DNA sequence: CAGCACAATAAAAACGTTTAACTTCAATGT
DNA sequence: ACATTGAAGTTAAACGTTTTTATTGTGCTG
């Protein structure tokens, strides 16, 4: 009364287990009529492939490891919340495949290196999805050397070509700065992620170039790098608004820091649209509920997420990394006027 | 040059693979000296247990399935973001065990049923963690009938006893209402989760009782049930503030709906503290960044999360469900005065 | 019609582990 | 002294697959 195996089907059909296995795997070595017989029998007895047998025999794990660098349990901050949607997007993309998402929550970049090293060397998964890429990312090198399939959420700068998905940060920042400059702003602050992250560099570089094009000067005091929490956004508004020449516009890297920036406005008595404006990049479309709603570049996170899932599948099937590289341009959503008040 | 197995150790030590296996599993059938020999050899050759072999032989999967009901990809709403922290908490609790978290993202309650049915019948995991419990939850019944280890995040009302972790919603709402009543409020709105969720019922019941105790009457127009998105919070403030007798206090079930409520205030020109106040339950401690910061009951989500992980481990080891039930009381954080303005 | 090629299936081995059943041998009791 | 016990190992089977190699039977060629 136990679960049927290929042995059950073999007895049922009078064939050998070898033939049954081949039939179920669409091997050209079995006659179509035989295959039909096997499939019918499988159906009849309610056969379901036992993965453990396959895994032992083939060495494949049918697991995709998702490395999630989450803030430590001590910090209670709104950080990394987009992982929920990221993970479900990946999970959905794998839904019709035999692969499952296996979660590896790590606390730091260093821990993510050792975790990945372990997954690779002990083959605990067939593919890896990793985010928070650095400009020169040792994990990428690690996986490339081992010829291990992976996709990154985020680009790298100094690594050899690999599969990735990312927002088009460069274009987004260029347009963002240009738009604010057009509207009369000359002191534009950039609230940026941690400096060691690749996209932080990309954004900073694009920011400098865009300022240059707009004929504005670069002022290091108007840039900040750190964990994209509300605390960070708030902190920097408090700091920068106290400068002798405070910014009239803030470009925040996500909605958490934008919310914090609002909190800073409130603390300083600043009014959005009068004293300064906030723009942001938005994953969850939550900025529309800010008071007032702000202008954002919006990239619904399920898009890159599902792409990550589809890409890792294709990568595991041997497709070349160069064919699996996409930058997605977030959509501008103008909710506030954003002209410099006189 | 391939990965060492117990066979390697057997050759290395001159023992049989059976003895090696028993030694590594601390069987009383092997002499301590022999065990030491085996362990030394294992160390020397860099032996790592191959799970596939174990899984095939024992039928154990060493997977804990985390069922995550996430909003569909079409809705871009701030919903379910707390799953990120929930998952990492679980993952950390399993860190020193051989178990991994396997993610099952589903789109609806119905899908979660079929997913769980599959996991149980095909034994795709050794334990399940599920959230969003209903008052009478068919999934709980399903798992209980199959005698399958599980822990829920959230209680049930009509099901047989099972392992769970949850916030103490009842006490929280009672205190919350009492506190607002003390401060002069008589029209207190309850922004509640979907009515079929168990904790929605718990909250509603506690709300009614607390009103009764405070000598206030229950008005159905001041309660709302729905998905806890910012949109939902906003919507209800717009609606309720238009009543002839609008509420002077809103109790929101999470920070997303609270943010939306603020958005509703903004749209209606309401001022927090003057026209009405907002209280909320907070997972991420993000309410401190609202403008103005609001009073919340705060439960750092890593606490229940890690408990879920520890509980499922104990449950899989056969501990009785009754020993694995915990309600955690969130901490009151008073950030606003909240007295009724005259 | 012998010989051969080929298509279709079967047999058997292998992946790495656990465990039931069996063997060995020294210590024990009478 | 000798059967009995028990401790400590070994042997062998088993979990469910895939895959290499072997076998069978058929139709074709010369």
């Amino acid at each position: 009364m136990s679960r049927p195996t290929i042995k059950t089907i073999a007895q049922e059909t009078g064939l050998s287990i070898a033939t049954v296995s081949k039939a179920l795997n669409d091997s050209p070595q079995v006659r179509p009529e035989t295959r039909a017989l096997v499939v019918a029998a499988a159906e009849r007895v309610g056969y379901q492939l036992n993965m453990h047998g396959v895994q032992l025999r083939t060495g494949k794990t049918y697991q995709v490891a998702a490395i999630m660098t989450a803030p430590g349990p001590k910090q209670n901050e709104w950080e990394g919340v987009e992982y929920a949607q990221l993970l479900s997007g990946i999970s959905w993309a794998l839904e019709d495949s035999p692969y499952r998402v296996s979660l590896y929550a790590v606390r730091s970049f260093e821990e993510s290196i050792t975790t990945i090293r372990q997954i690779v060397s002990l083959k605990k998964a067939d593919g890896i999805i990793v985010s928070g890429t650095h400009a020169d990312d040792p994990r990428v090198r690690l996986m490339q050397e081992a010829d291990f399939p992976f996709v990154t959420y985020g680009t790298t700068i100094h690594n050899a070509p690999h599969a990735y998905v990312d927002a088009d940060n460069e274009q987004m920042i260029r347009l963002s700065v240009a738009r604010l400059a057009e509207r009369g702003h000359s002191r534009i602050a950039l609230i940026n992620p941690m400096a060691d992250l690749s996209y932080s560099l990309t954004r900073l570089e694009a920011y400098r170039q865009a300022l240059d094009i707009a004929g504005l000067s670069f002022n290091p005091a108007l840039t900040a790098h750190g964990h994209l929490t509300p605390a960070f956004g708030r902190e920097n508004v408090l700091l920068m608004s106290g400068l002798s020449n405070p910014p009239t516009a803030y470009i925040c890297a996500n909605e958490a820091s934008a919310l914090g920036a609002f909190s800073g406005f409130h603390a300083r008595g600043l009014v959005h649209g009068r004293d300064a404006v906030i723009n942001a990049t938005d994953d969850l479309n939550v900025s529309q509920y800010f008071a007032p709603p702000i202008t954002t570049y919006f990239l619904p996170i399920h898009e890159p997420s599902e792409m990550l899932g589809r890409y890792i599948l294709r990568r595991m099937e041997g497709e070349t990394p160069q064919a699996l590289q996409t930058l997605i341009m977030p959509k501008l959503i103008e909710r506030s006027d954003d002209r410099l008040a006189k």
Side-chain angles (χ1 to χ4, degrees), chain A:
Chain A
M1 219 39 331
S2 67
R3 197 171 149 182
T5 70
I6 51 171
K7 210 167 172 178
T8 319
I9 303 182
Q11 287 167 347
E12 192 82 1
T13 57
L15 295 162
S16 73
I17 61 163
T19 308
V20 171
S21 172
K22 285 175 189 154
L24 292 174
N25 288 300
D26 286 329
S27 158
Q29 291 179 38
V30 321
R31 276 216 323 271
E33 305 92 78
T34 313
R35 186 191 331 286
L37 232 62
V38 169
V39 170
E43 185 80 18
R44 191 164 58 243
V45 301
Y47 171 74
Q48 286 282 114
L49 182 60
N50 182 324
M51 278 301 180
H52 295 331
V54 180
Q55 288 169 341
L56 178 57
R57 172 64 222 225
T58 64
K60 291 195 66 172
T61 65
Y62 291 101
Q63 305 266 349
V64 170
I67 316 293
M68 165 175 171
T69 308
K74 286 297 157 283
Q75 298 134 281
N76 298 307
E77 276 287 353
W78 185 18
E79 194 185 2
V81 296
E82 68 282 2
Y83 269 109
Q85 317 245 354
L86 200 69
L87 290 171
S88 58
I90 298 171
S91 175
W92 283 329
L94 300 184
E95 186 160 62
D96 293 328
S97 81
Y99 292 90
R100 292 296 108 205
V101 176
S102 192
L103 190 65
Y104 289 81
V106 300
R107 291 168 185 78
S108 66
F109 184 74
E110 284 67 36
E111 200 182 329
S112 79
I113 302 181
T114 63
T115 297
I116 288 177
R117 195 191 306 283
Q118 212 180 70
I119 295 171
V120 169
S121 69
L122 298 180
K123 196 145 183 15
K124 289 191 144 344
D126 299 330
I128 296 180
I129 294 177
V130 63
S131 60
T133 42
H134 283 201
D136 180 2
D137 201 307
R139 303 169 301 179
V140 167
R141 247 179 302 129
L142 187 69
M143 295 184 284
Q144 283 175 333
E145 278 164 16
D147 202 21
F148 200 96
F150 70 97
V151 183
T152 60
Y153 186 35
T155 60
T156 56
I157 300 183
H158 304 300
N159 292 87
H162 57 88
Y164 66 78
V165 177
D166 201 359
D168 190 341
N169 286 288
E170 179 177 347
Q171 204 187 340
M172 181 167 63
I173 288 297
R174 295 176 95 117
L175 293 177
S176 205
V177 169
R179 178 175 173 279
L180 288 167
E182 265 172 33
R183 281 165 176 67
H185 296 272
S186 58
R187 295 192 306 279
I188 304 171
L190 183 71
I191 307 300
N192 231 12
M194 293 286 284
D196 45 11
L197 293 173
S198 172
Y199 81 114
S200 189
L201 234 86
T202 305
R203 290 169 60 97
L204 185 61
E205 195 50 38
Y207 170 75
R208 298 189 66 153
Q209 289 185 11
L211 286 182
D212 210 44
I213 291 171
L216 300 174
S217 64
F218 171 73
N219 177 359
L222 297 190
T223 67
H225 299 265
H227 285 294
L228 293 176
T229 60
F232 180 64
R234 177 185 161 99
E235 212 167 82
N236 277 292
V237 165
L238 295 183
L239 202 75
M240 294 183 184
S241 65
L243 296 174
S244 55
N245 270 330
T248 59
Y250 294 84
I251 299 179
C252 296
N254 72 350
E255 59 273 69
S257 53
L259 179 68
F262 262 108
S263 167
F265 271 45
H266 180 75
R268 279 271 185 266
L270 302 175
V271 173
H272 190 275
R274 185 193 71 188
D275 302 305
V277 301
I278 301 174
N279 284 9
T281 306
D282 201 337
D283 277 338
L284 303 170
N285 210 6
V286 72
S287 309
Q288 61 183 306
Y289 298 107
F290 289 175
I294 60 173
T295 295
T296 57
Y297 278 92
F298 174 49
L299 176 55
I301 191 161
H302 73 91
E303 270 187 45
S305 308
E306 290 186 13
M307 195 170 278
L308 284 169
R310 288 196 304 270
Y311 277 17
I312 191 63
L313 283 178
R314 290 167 62 184
R315 188 70 193 85
M316 290 188 302
E317 290 187 337
E319 201 161 334
T320 152
Q322 282 83 353
L324 304 170
Q325 305 181 324
T326 299
L327 288 183
I328 311 178
M329 183 59 199
K331 199 174 96 208
L332 175 65
I333 302 186
E334 295 189 280
R335 298 201 187 88
S336 43
D337 184 311
D338 291 343
R339 274 177 301 187
L340 181 67
K342 339 186 189 307

